[in-house]
């Protein structure tokens, strides 16, 4: 059984409140028990000393025991739970509270026992007496015995105080539970509301509504909670990425159709003309049809090669070799193309060893140079720089051609993506050369990046690890 965030938060707040109140009650009663007991014992001893002091003062003032004064002191002590007995030095009983009012004494002791047993069911207290000798001029004048229920006892006022304190703790507990429940509901609503909006937005995204108004709403709504704010931002970024990927997918479909339509339409028109007898199936026309068939085959080969490079099961035949001679060899194959466009071609650097698949690295560099050749105008220049960069080897291909607009840079390595929206045949290509280059670089544990500005040329930077990761 699954519970909602609101229920869990509310229950957690209530449980925390119960735990805090229970702990507070336990500690309060525990500490109160210890300190209050010490207080009661000290209070009893203090009252005993006060009574003895009064009686000693009476004897010293008059030189004899005054039964009337002793009775007044004894009755006052009896009202406070103490039974006094005063005897002279010869053993004569001057005054005894138990004789004065035995019934009162018995009821008082029974009430004390009842109070203590009501508080402590296992209480084992009993009647306790303390004897204090009375001296006058260094001679013993008698003794004062003070009896009470010991070792300590709680009066009715003491029990009332403890009961009031416990009732107060109960009220605090009830208030805390209600307060925790209200706060839990408020916090749960504040936390769950943006999460529910995110869930609804995620469901809309799963249905393909990337640009739905709910995405904009959760972005504008935001949250003061850091994690929820990050979640909202992540969902917003996800929606934007999926929307862009959806646009790229639609564009990919259109681009593939465009790339296939042209050669197929040419083949179809040529074949129909020859079938209808309009054209004679001579060598030139058959060669034109063959070229279009080769073009379609090349496109299919490029797609197959890209799929193979992007697959996790790509096998790399790594060997250690100097990449500088490899670049020199590739440049010689491009010399005629660059010469025909009067493009200055320069290679800078020195020998650098890499541990990589030689054929695939050749394909990568060929794709970068082909791209530079296509988009560099006549009379331009292309520079290739090779240098070490720590554990990597860095290859930079820089041209001063048409450049790439800023809005096209994030997608330049997407398959079939071309900044030239018209897909001018003059630049040629299928638009997956850079996709293949990126797949090869990443398969080797390297990377490829581009910096470009429209009208100022482009700079592609390839990094390859010297040793496999």
């Amino acid at each position: 059984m699954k519970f909602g965030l609101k229920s869990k938060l509310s229950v957690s707040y209530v449980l925390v409140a119960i735990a805090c109140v229970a702990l507070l009650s336990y500690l309060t009663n525990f500490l109160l028990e210890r300190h209050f007991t010490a207080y009661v014992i000290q209070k009893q001893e203090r009252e005993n000393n006060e009574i003895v002091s009064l009686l000693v003062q009476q004897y010293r003032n008059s030189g004899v025991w005054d039964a009337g004064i002793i009775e007044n002191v004894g009755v006052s002590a009896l009202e406070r739970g103490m039974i006094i007995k005063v005897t002279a030095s010869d053993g004569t009983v001057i005054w005894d509270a138990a004789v004065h009012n035995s019934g009162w004494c018995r009821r008082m002791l029974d009430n004390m026992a009842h109070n203590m047993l009501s508080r402590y069911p296992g209480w084992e207290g009993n009647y306790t007496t303390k004897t204090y000798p009375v001296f006058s001029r260094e001679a013993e004048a008698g003794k004062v015995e003070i009896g009470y229920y010991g070792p300590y006892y709680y009066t009715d006022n003491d029990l009332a105080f403890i009961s009031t304190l416990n009732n107060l703790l109960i009220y605090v507990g009830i208030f805390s539970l209600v307060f925790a429940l209200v706060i839990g509901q408020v916090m749960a609503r504040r936390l769950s509301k943006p999460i529910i909006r995110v869930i609804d937005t995620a469901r809309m995204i799963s249905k393909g509504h990337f640009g739905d108004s709910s995405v904009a709403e959760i972005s504008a709504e935001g949250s003061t909670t850091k994690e929820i704010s990050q979640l909202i931002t992540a969902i917003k970024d996800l929606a934007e990425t999926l929307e862009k990927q959806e646009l790229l997918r639609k564009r990919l479909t259109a681009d593939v159709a465009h790339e296939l339509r042209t050669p197929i339409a040419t083949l179809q028109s040529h074949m129909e003309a020859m079938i209808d007898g309009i054209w004679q199936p001579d060598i030139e026309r058959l060669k034109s049809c063959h070229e279009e068939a080769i073009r379609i085959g090349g496109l299919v080969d490029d797609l197959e090669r890209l799929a193979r490079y992007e697959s996790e099961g790509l096998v790399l035949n790594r060997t250690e070799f100097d990449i500088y001679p490899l670049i020199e060899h590739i440049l010689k194959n491009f010399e005629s193309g660059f010469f025909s466009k009067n493009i200055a071609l320069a290679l800078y650097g020195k020998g650098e060893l890499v541990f990589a698949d030689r054929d695939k690295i050749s394909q990568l560099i060929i794709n970068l140079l082909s791209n530079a050749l296509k988009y560099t105008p006549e009379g331009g220049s292309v520079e290739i720089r090779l240098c070490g960069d720590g554990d990597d080897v860095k290859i930079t291909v820089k041209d001063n051609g048409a450049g790439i607009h800023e809005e096209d840079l994030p997608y330049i390595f997407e398959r079939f993506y071309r900044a030239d929206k018209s897909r001018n045949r003059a630049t040629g290509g299928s638009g997956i050369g850079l996709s293949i280059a990126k797949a090869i670089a990443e398969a080797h544990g390297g990377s490829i990046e581009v910096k470009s500005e429209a009208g100022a040329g482009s700079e592609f930077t390839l990094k390859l690890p010297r040793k496999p990761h």
Side-chain angles (χ1 to χ4, degrees):
M1 185 176 180
K2 296 182 179 180
F3 297 94
L5 180 62
K6 288 183 179 180
S7 300
K8 289 185 176 181
L9 280 175
S10 299
V11 171
S12 65
Y13 272 83
V14 170
L15 290 177
V16 169
I18 291 175
C20 291
V21 171
L23 181 61
L24 178 63
S25 300
Y26 172 78
L27 291 176
T28 301
N29 279 275
F30 175 77
L31 295 175
L32 176 68
E33 182 82 23
R34 188 168 63 180
H35 289 85
F36 199 67
T37 298
Y39 163 75
V40 169
I41 293 174
Q42 292 174 2
K43 177 187 174 193
Q44 181 66 56
E45 187 65 28
R46 187 170 58 252
E47 290 181 344
N48 289 353
N49 292 329
E50 289 177 356
I51 291 172
V52 172
S53 296
L54 287 175
L55 295 174
V56 169
Q57 187 67 33
Q58 179 271 314
Y59 184 84
R60 289 177 178 174
N61 289 338
S62 59
V64 294
W65 293 107
D66 188 329
I69 295 176
I70 295 173
E71 181 178 352
N72 292 333
V73 174
V75 171
S76 175
L78 196 61
E79 291 174 349
R80 289 183 287 170
M82 292 175 287
I83 300 173
I84 293 177
K85 179 180 178 182
V86 180
T87 58
S89 57
D90 58 0
T92 304
V93 177
I94 307 300
W95 191 84
D96 188 350
V99 175
H100 176 76
N101 197 332
S102 62
W104 187 359
C105 293
R106 175 49 51 192
R107 288 194 300 273
M108 181 185 69
L109 292 175
D110 289 343
N111 182 62
M112 290 178 179
H114 174 73
N115 286 348
M116 297 306 292
L117 288 173
S118 66
R119 175 70 179 173
Y120 308 105
W123 177 254
E124 296 181 354
N126 50 35
Y127 183 71
T128 302
T129 61
K130 281 191 175 183
T131 302
Y132 298 88
V134 178
F135 293 92
S136 177
R137 297 189 183 132
E138 300 182 358
E140 185 177 346
K143 293 185 293 184
V144 177
E145 290 184 8
I146 301 177
Y148 55 89
Y149 195 83
Y152 63 91
Y153 66 93
Y154 291 158
T155 64
D156 292 339
N157 291 334
D158 295 334
L159 290 177
F161 168 76
I162 295 174
S163 177
T164 301
L165 179 62
N166 286 327
N167 290 334
L168 180 62
L169 290 174
I170 292 173
Y171 295 143
V172 170
I174 295 173
F175 173 79
S176 298
L177 291 180
V178 175
F179 184 72
L181 188 61
V182 172
I183 293 298
Q185 286 289 328
V186 172
M187 292 301 297
R189 189 176 296 109
R190 291 191 63 183
L191 289 174
S192 62
K193 184 179 179 181
I195 292 177
I196 292 173
R197 296 294 301 273
V198 168
I199 292 173
D200 294 338
T201 302
R203 286 173 178 164
M204 296 299 293
I205 291 173
S206 68
K207 296 177 182 178
H209 304 296
F210 309 119
D212 191 80
S213 59
S214 60
V215 177
E217 287 176 3
I218 65 167
S219 300
E221 182 179 280
S223 174
T224 56
T225 305
K226 179 181 178 181
E227 290 77 7
I228 295 179
S229 179
Q230 291 174 342
L231 176 62
I232 291 173
T233 301
I235 287 292
K236 176 177 173 291
D237 294 341
L238 175 63
E240 292 177 353
T241 301
L242 290 175
E243 185 176 17
K244 291 175 182 177
Q245 290 297 322
E246 178 66 10
L247 293 175
L248 286 174
R249 185 188 65 81
K250 292 178 179 178
R251 179 168 177 173
L252 172 63
T253 304
D255 290 345
V256 171
H258 183 279
E259 292 293 337
L260 292 175
R261 184 185 301 111
T262 301
I264 289 176
T266 301
L267 276 174
Q268 182 180 356
S269 62
H270 281 43
M271 298 301 292
E272 287 177 353
M274 287 186 281
I275 291 172
D276 293 339
I278 299 174
W279 285 353
Q280 293 296 322
D282 54 25
I283 296 298
E284 291 298 324
R285 291 191 172 91
L286 290 175
K287 184 183 292 186
S288 176
C289 292
H290 182 254
E291 289 175 354
E292 296 299 332
I294 290 175
R295 184 182 175 195
I296 295 174
L299 176 61
V300 173
D301 289 342
D302 286 344
L303 285 172
E304 184 181 15
R305 188 181 301 110
L306 178 59
R308 187 169 65 252
Y309 289 164
E310 290 180 337
S311 68
E312 295 182 357
L314 176 64
V315 178
L316 297 175
N317 298 316
R318 296 176 184 264
T319 58
E320 189 175 44
F321 63 93
D322 189 344
I323 198 170
Y324 188 86
L326 175 65
I327 297 175
E328 281 187 318
H329 177 72
I330 295 172
L331 288 179
K332 288 180 180 179
N333 295 332
F334 276 87
E335 280 183 349
S336 61
F338 283 101
F339 181 78
S340 64
K341 293 182 68 174
N342 193 27
I343 297 175
L345 184 62
L347 172 62
Y348 302 96
K350 60 180 182 178
E352 296 287 350
L353 293 177
V354 294
F355 192 77
D357 188 317
R358 187 184 186 95
D359 292 337
K360 292 181 176 60
I361 296 301
S362 297
Q363 179 66 58
L364 192 162
I365 296 172
I366 288 171
N367 287 1
L368 292 180
L369 289 174
S370 297
N371 194 70
L373 178 59
K374 292 172 190 174
Y375 294 100
T376 303
E378 292 188 9
S381 63
V382 174
E383 294 180 357
I384 301 95
R385 294 184 180 272
L386 173 65
C387 64
D389 186 19
D391 293 334
D392 298 326
V393 173
K394 184 166 69 173
I395 303 170
T396 303
V397 179
K398 183 177 181 180
D399 63 64
N400 61 350
I404 305 169
H405 290 280
E406 184 177 355
E407 62 269 18
D408 292 317
L409 282 175
Y411 315 108
I412 201 67
F413 293 105
E414 298 289 341
R415 61 187 69 186
F416 289 104
Y417 192 92
R418 289 170 64 184
D420 179 13
K421 304 297 189 297
S422 65
R423 307 190 71 83
N424 191 341
R425 291 293 295 274
T427 57
S430 58
I432 61 175
L434 292 179
S435 300
I436 292 175
K438 181 181 180 182
I440 294 174
E442 291 180 348
H444 283 81
S447 64
I448 184 169
E449 299 175 349
V450 59
K451 292 191 295 184
S452 185
E453 184 178 346
S458 303
E459 179 180 324
F460 288 85
T461 301
L462 167 66
K463 286 186 178 181
L464 294 173
R466 296 181 186 272
K467 296 180 180 180
H469 291 167

